[in-house]
Amino acid sequence: MKVGVLGVGQVPFTGPNDIPMGELGGRAARAALADAGIAASEVGMAAVGSVYEHPSVGQRVLLQLGLNGIPLVNLENACASATSAVIDAVRWIQAGEADVALAIGVDKMASHYSSGPLPLVNETDTFGAQGLTVPAYFGLIAEKHMAEFGSTREDFARISHKNRTYAEQNPFARFRKAPSLDEILASPVIATPIGKFDCCANGDGAAAVVLCSEAYARRHAAARVVWIRATELGGGVLGDRLDDDPMTGLARRAYERSGIGPEDIQVVECHDNFSIGEFEAYERLDFCAHGEGHLYLRAGKSAIGGKGAAFNPSGGLLGRSHPAGATGCAQIGSIVQQLRGAAGPMQHPGARAGLVQTSGGGVMELQSNATTVVILSL
Amino acid sequence: MSELAYLTKGVFRSDVLADVDGQPRLVGSRCKNCGDVRFPHAPACPACQAPADKLEAAILSRIGTVVTASRVERAIEPHKAPYLLSYVQLPEGPRVFCQLLAPSLEPRDVIGSRCELVVDKLFEKEGVAVNGYKFKVQP
């Protein structure tokens, strides 16, 4: 059954703020409902993603909307929590259990962790005990790519510069003034080759997506609807992600199921938690061959207006900042605006199909905790 | 092998290392059902889902090859930067995450090098050294 996106909305992603978590999620949900042009009373179920909040986030958010008693699922899948919430909402509609479903992501990660590398779980974690930090894990992936394929620190800096420059145009991004390429290259090294500006920052924020059945969309607002074409969710896979990652298998399945391949996709929001993350996505989502990510970048193919797919036109995690539980809904929101042709100065010309990839980590012996791939089109 | 005794309980499995002919060796698991070898010891076979009682100890080679390395410059307590982190490929299949001891802290100088298992201090906790396994690049 086809599922449509009727509305998207978010609050600005910021540093630590004093807006309570429930209200933050409520504001994002109201923005998405206003964008959809429907009342909260139309919502038949809600799926709410978060990572670092207290239990019962969804209940606190729905209180803000005056919504009582509807089916509600709280979801935690690390950084892929909000995308998982979207996928869950899609499933409820596909199952015929709801006509309209609301997916919300919310986190106040900047309030919980002001700066610096996120701590790993605890000292009984053998990776943490050996001195692993999250940036260093991505440093290990990047150093291998550099040694094997000839990419350089400057390539990673260019991704950071590209996405942070796009964020200047995104009113919801935390970072509205991009550093220069030289400033990025001169920033302190966190774990080679990753410098400070190759890392996304924690953020406080919330984003939401209103989804509906095909019949509801036809009755309501068919002209504005963006369709969900494929939704793939994979759990943890034991092993390191130096050479591969579950995103490849999930993306290929999504391409097969939707009949939309990378050559048909013009816009991508991928998980650039570190600049190497976007690099991985070029290759592992089959937008270029394995080991050629730097060539794809250097040819300008991942730029807005470039000859490939525009990656992270909203600024990505690098530009928006990363409230872990909210990111996926912001990614979906960006692609929906692109496909509507409503992305303003961030618009990639001729966008007809888009892809969202989100990878959540934290259990370090796994390639990722959860990986999601969503394909959308007009 | 007295230095193995310094391995802090609760950080590593107590049987993560074995003493073979006076030298430390990593101990992983081998599935008696399908032959899949893992390090560290898997709680169940990730290849064929055989339960723990089908997994036997696998004494792994003490010589490996550096697959990748990153120099940490911003550490989290109690670790002190700079140090190298690495993945080391063992001939039996597993790639081992570890700290790497090397004369050069430049990743490009050590990637591809042969390296040897050692036991060394990871950090200090309340004045006591907490040891772990590391690999050391061979000259």
Side-chain angles (χ1 to χ4, degrees):
Chain A
M1 186 199 280
K2 267 167 78 173
V3 173
V5 179
L6 208 54
V8 295
Q10 71 173 96
V11 298
F13 288 4
T14 67
N17 70 42
D18 51 15
I19 305 168
M21 158 265 285
E23 191 180 330
L24 213 52
R27 287 186 195 181
R30 282 192 190 283
L33 288 165
D35 184 54
I38 63 170
S41 55
E42 295 287 294
V43 175
M45 80 78 60
V48 182
S50 71
V51 184
Y52 292 97
E53 297 308 320
H54 306 292
S56 311
V57 172
Q59 282 77 357
R60 293 175 201 280
V61 171
L62 292 197
L63 275 176
Q64 301 287 322
L65 303 176
L67 274 176
N68 301 299
I70 64 165
L72 167 60
V73 180
N74 287 297
L75 266 156
E76 187 279 302
N77 254 344
C79 308
S81 295
T83 334
S84 297
V86 169
I87 292 174
D88 198 55
V90 167
R91 298 278 180 273
W92 277 72
I93 295 168
Q94 287 172 330
E97 293 289 329
D99 251 352
V100 177
L102 185 55
I104 304 167
V106 58
D107 243 312
K108 289 178 65 68
M109 214 169 152
S111 293
H112 299 314
Y113 306 102
S114 59
S115 68
L118 277 182
L120 294 174
V121 183
N122 56 48
E123 62 179 13
T124 64
D125 167 53
T126 59
F127 288 82
Q130 292 177 89
L132 182 64
T133 62
V134 179
Y137 190 74
F138 287 86
L140 288 163
I141 298 170
E143 288 286 0
K144 181 167 188 288
H145 197 283
M146 289 162 68
E148 212 168 328
F149 301 115
S151 52
T152 64
R153 182 171 179 215
E154 187 166 324
D155 290 322
F156 303 122
R158 283 189 187 285
I159 286 175
S160 176
H161 186 246
K162 172 177 78 67
N163 295 355
R164 289 173 186 273
T165 302
Y166 294 162
E168 292 187 338
Q169 307 297 330
N170 181 354
F172 298 110
R174 175 173 174 186
F175 300 107
R176 302 294 308 282
K177 175 81 182 77
S180 69
L181 188 62
D182 286 344
E183 285 171 321
I184 293 171
L185 282 165
S187 71
V189 171
I190 308 297
T192 63
I194 291 184
K196 179 184 164 189
F197 286 121
D198 291 303
C199 308
C200 73
N202 302 328
D204 281 13
V209 180
V210 178
L211 298 133
C212 69
S213 66
E214 184 175 6
Y216 189 94
R218 299 269 179 236
R219 282 202 305 277
H220 201 81
R224 287 191 82 215
V225 172
V226 169
W227 300 101
I228 301 272
R229 302 295 184 179
T231 47
E232 300 295 335
L233 166 63
V237 175
L238 190 64
D240 64 66
R241 61 189 272 182
L242 297 178
D243 294 326
D244 56 23
D245 176 284
M247 80 172 89
T248 301
L250 294 166
R252 288 178 183 170
R253 212 165 112 108
Y255 297 148
E256 195 185 316
R257 285 176 144 188
S258 64
I260 296 170
E263 64 284 356
D264 306 312
I265 290 170
Q266 296 82 29
V267 280
V268 176
E269 288 282 342
C270 74
H271 200 71
D272 59 332
N273 52 349
F274 300 92
S275 45
I276 178 70
E278 182 171 311
F279 227 75
E280 281 185 290
Y282 298 157
E283 300 180 6
R284 296 179 184 182
L285 298 173
D286 292 332
F287 282 81
C288 67
H290 182 59
E292 294 184 0
H294 52 307
L295 306 180
Y296 192 80
L297 173 82
R298 289 175 193 173
K301 289 189 174 175
S302 57
I304 294 174
K307 290 200 173 81
F311 273 69
N312 290 317
S314 73
L317 281 67
L318 291 167
R320 284 191 308 262
S321 82
H322 184 37
T327 283
C329 281
Q331 291 176 307
I332 298 272
S334 164
I335 295 297
V336 167
Q337 298 291 24
Q338 288 282 339
L339 300 184
R340 288 171 173 175
M346 301 178 286
Q347 184 67 46
H348 181 65
R352 295 177 309 282
L355 181 147
V356 167
Q357 172 261 328
T358 331
S359 295
V363 181
M364 301 313 290
E365 57 263 51
L366 301 177
Q367 290 184 333
S368 81
N369 288 18
T371 309
T372 50
V373 174
V374 177
I375 294 178
L376 305 98
S377 79
L378 291 173
Chain B
M1 183 104 221
S2 60
E3 58 189 348
L4 292 192
Y6 290 104
L7 282 169
T8 296
K9 289 192 177 73
V11 173
F12 297 100
R13 280 172 62 114
S14 57
D15 56 356
V16 71
L17 282 165
D19 179 348
V20 177
D21 301 329
Q23 288 185 314
R25 300 279 287 268
L26 293 174
V27 183
S29 58
R30 180 182 289 105
C31 177
K32 290 190 270 190
N33 187 39
C34 76
D36 183 77
V37 178
R38 296 284 163 161
F39 180 85
H41 198 291
C45 179
C48 75
Q49 289 74 51
D53 63 0
K54 299 288 185 203
L55 302 179
E56 60 184 3
I59 307 263
L60 302 172
S61 171
R62 41 183 289 277
I63 305 294
T65 306
V66 178
V67 177
T68 186
S70 171
R71 183 178 65 256
V72 176
E73 302 226 336
R74 179 102 187 257
I76 296 176
E77 285 292 316
H79 298 278
K80 308 282 182 215
Y83 54 89
L84 280 177
L85 292 176
S86 179
Y87 271 97
V88 169
Q89 180 70 54
L90 296 182
E92 293 85 358
R95 284 205 291 220
V96 178
F97 172 77
C98 58
Q99 283 194 21
L100 191 68
L101 302 174
S104 163
L105 291 184
E106 278 304 317
R108 64 174 171 271
D109 294 340
V110 299
I111 292 175
S113 301
R114 271 165 60 91
C115 54
E116 177 182 6
L117 184 74
V118 295
V119 172
D120 191 46
K121 183 175 89 170
L122 281 173
F123 56 89
E124 279 187 15
K125 187 176 177 182
E126 290 153 9
V128 179
V130 174
N131 284 1
Y133 53 84
K134 297 181 184 178
F135 276 81
K136 184 174 187 175
V137 170
Q138 291 184 322

